[in-house]
Each structure stands twice: as structure tokens, then as C-alpha cells.
Amino acid sequence: MKPKTSMIWKWGALLLAASAVLAFSRPADNEYAYWSRFKAGTFVSFICVTASAGAAQESIKTLTLKEVRPDVAVLEFRESPSSGRGKPASSPTGLSLGQRIEFKAADYEGAGLLSGMIGIEADRILKDPSGVRLDSGTEDLSVKGGVLRTTRTKLQFGRPETPTTMTLWTCEEIPGKLARFIREIQTGGAAYREDVRAVDFLSVKAEPAEIEKLRAGRKPMPIEVTGMTFMGQECRFFDDSESLLKDWPGLKSALTAIVPGSSNTDWTGVNKKFIPFMEKARDLKKHLEEDQARAQAILTASEFEKLKPIWAAASRFIDVFLKNHEAMAYVTSLESGRQTQTELLDLLEELKTLRIDYDSAYAQLGEELKKLGAVKITYLR
């Protein structure tokens, strides 16, 4: 019988697709939680300059925190032409009326702290997997007559012949965290450049006791979200899958090196990579059970009933997932030379049988995840 030298790592590659299905990002914060750390009067002003085809436009955009209540943070946005010297033009022509923006405590993460006002989604740009990091580091910027230490990140998007380059400078001291942003786009012979730079700000921070008292005064309110949103935001199960994804490249590399029956295979080294991976995999089962208990505690019986199909599919998937990976971990725990090549190949045949159940459970989970987008869940948040 010819050794099946690549079966283990080919089978293991299925994990990448499965984890991608489960990959949801739960925000650590929403806009209300951020802005409620400050007091009314907090503001930040930007000079925004756009240049294209030899013409340039300059404006000043200011965001001011007007009010913070237990349930909502109210901000005002104003934009006006610039005099070209970093100050509003003396003529009121083009001066916009204050635009009211509300960030509610019950909301999940929105588009971004400043994106609706200045068109920049800093967090999403920095986390976008399609971006190629060109440079990163710290840099001192002059803001409001002083010097601030910022974190600089330069990324490139798009095709090499028509690239879009974005450079962000962020600083925790500035309300909204954005210190500067440059976007440069090359399309054929044309070039576009946008430069957004913080020039003034006032950060009036609330004391921890004040923040705690404010948030304690909030009364939960009913909200309606899709089942997909509820699961992604309220459950740890999906976060765990992302953690597994981070460990996968190193494990895949180790699995690729396995050659059944070969004395050159470093079984001990592979097993050392498998142990922490399996510990995280077992947490999937534990957290899935905790997620169900949490959901049952915050949902009515009828709302919880809507999620039973996904609980069942996820539970079956993780059970089969663990059986498969426990078998793979057992294979990697064997010391070279202790088992014959035939015995190892028999183990691999057993993995093939387990894989059939895995494929079925994976497909069922995928179908239930698709259905969650149409399921509506109402609860108090």
C-alpha cells in the first residue's frame, strides 16, 4: 500500500473553511460607550484638504459633544469653508447648520466614531485584511501648538497599477482618536489626494465614578436584530473560532511535514503545536453551552426558540470537530518507529470515516448560519 503522505494536512485544511464560516467580530465597544467617557464641551476640529486635477478645496470640520445621558450621547457636526490659514472663512457663505448625531447605548457598533462626519472609518481600514502594510511606527505630530505621540500605519489597497494608499495617525488623547489621515489614489494619469488633519481639540474626560453612575441610570430598551447579529454580538462561541484561525497557519505547516512511517517526521514537534490548539478547540464546546445559558437568560421563551436550530447544528458540529481533531492529535502523539506504517495508515483510514460526519455537520451548520440572517430577535438591551 502506498503511503498517503498528504492526507492529514489536506484533511486539516478543511478547518480553515469551517472557521471562516464561524468568524464574527464582536466589538469591545460601541460609540456610546466611547463618548460617554467624556463630558459635554469635548470637541475636535479638522482641516480637510482635497486635491485633484490641479484644483484643491479646503474646509474645516468640527465635532462637538453636546450632551451625555444614560441612554444616548448627542454630538453636533459643523462644516465650513476654510480661509486657507487653518481658520474658518470670514464669509458665512457655505457654513452648514449644526447636524445632530445620536449614539445610543443600546446600539451595537456602528460605522465608526468619525466616519459619518468626515468619511473615514479608521478602525475598519486598519483591520481590513486586503490592505498591504507598507509602514508602521510612532511619530510626533504638532497639534494645537503642542506635540503628540501618535501611532502611524501606512496601507496599500487595490491593484498595483491603480493603487490606493492610506496613512493613518491615531492618538488616544484626541477625541475620536484620529490625528491625521492621508488618502492617495492613482488612476491612470490622474491623482487624488485627501489630507485630514486635527488642528484643535478639547478633551473633557469624566471620572470613573461619574461614568459608572451615568450608565447605571440607563433602563434597558427593546431592540430588534437579526439572529446573525445577536449571535455575533452576544456569544463567545464565534470569537473562539477566530482565535483558532490565528493558530492554524503554524499547525498546518506542521501537518504538511507529516510522513506516515517515516523516521524523519518530528512527531513530538507536531504534537506540541497540537496541544494548545486542542485546548482552544475544547473551549468551543464549553462556551457554546455558556452562550445557550446566556441567551436563555436574556430572551423570552419564544425568542429563544427561534435559535434552537443553530444551537443544535453548532453543537453537532463541535462534537464531530472534536472527535476528528482528537483523532488527529492522537496520531501526532505517536513516537516515530513505535507504530508500523500499516498501523498508521489504518489510523488515517479511520480519519477518513470521521471526515464524512464532519463534512455533513459542517454543511448543516453553514445552512443554519445562512438562515440566521432572516430570523428576527427582539430583546431588552
Side-chain angles (χ1 to χ4, degrees), residues 312-331:
S315 181
R316 182 195 171 205
F317 173 79
I318 192 56
D319 284 341
V320 176
F321 179 95
L322 286 172
K323 285 181 182 178
N324 275 271
H325 282 76
E326 283 167 356
M328 291 177 67
Y330 172 70
V331 171

Side-chain angles (χ1 to χ4, degrees), residues 120-141:
I120 301 169
E121 300 178 76
D123 285 343
R124 294 189 181 183
I125 292 171
L126 292 171
K127 295 176 182 178
D128 191 333
S130 65
V132 177
R133 185 164 299 216
L134 302 178
D135 183 36
S136 62
T138 59
E139 183 175 336
D140 290 338
L141 291 185

Side-chain angles (χ1 to χ4, degrees), residues 98-175:
Q99 177 186 351
R100 178 187 174 95
I101 304 116
E102 293 188 353
F103 290 134
K104 297 180 180 178
D107 288 341
Y108 287 124
E109 183 184 38
L113 294 174
L114 302 172
S115 63
M117 287 67 75
I118 59 176
I120 301 169
E121 300 178 76
D123 285 343
R124 294 189 181 183
I125 292 171
L126 292 171
K127 295 176 182 178
D128 191 333
S130 65
V132 177
R133 185 164 299 216
L134 302 178
D135 183 36
S136 62
T138 59
E139 183 175 336
D140 290 338
L141 291 185
S142 177
V143 180
K144 193 185 174 182
V147 176
L148 294 179
R149 175 59 56 92
T150 68
T151 299
R152 182 194 70 256
T153 306
K154 187 174 183 179
L155 301 164
Q156 183 173 295
F157 299 86
R159 295 175 296 179
E161 61 271 23
T162 56
T164 295
T165 303
M166 299 185 192
T167 309
L168 298 100
W169 290 260
T170 58
C171 177
E172 292 291 336
E173 293 184 45
I174 299 177

Side-chain angles (χ1 to χ4, degrees), residues 173-238:
E173 293 184 45
I174 299 177
K177 305 178 185 179
L178 186 67
R180 192 175 185 184
F181 172 78
I182 294 178
R183 183 186 348 239
E184 297 172 295
I185 303 174
Q186 296 290 334
T187 54
Y192 169 88
R193 177 184 168 91
E194 175 186 11
D195 189 344
V196 177
R197 178 168 50 90
V199 291
D200 196 6
F201 71 91
L202 177 64
S203 178
V204 187
K205 296 183 179 180
E207 295 294 329
E210 294 178 292
I211 298 172
E212 184 178 354
K213 181 179 179 180
L214 173 74
R215 298 181 185 179
R218 175 180 171 260
K219 295 181 180 179
M221 61 181 293
I223 64 169
E224 182 183 74
V225 297
T226 66
M228 183 71 79
T229 297
F230 177 85
M231 293 287 289
Q233 301 285 347
E234 300 291 346
C235 300
R236 293 180 60 186
F237 178 69
F238 298 120

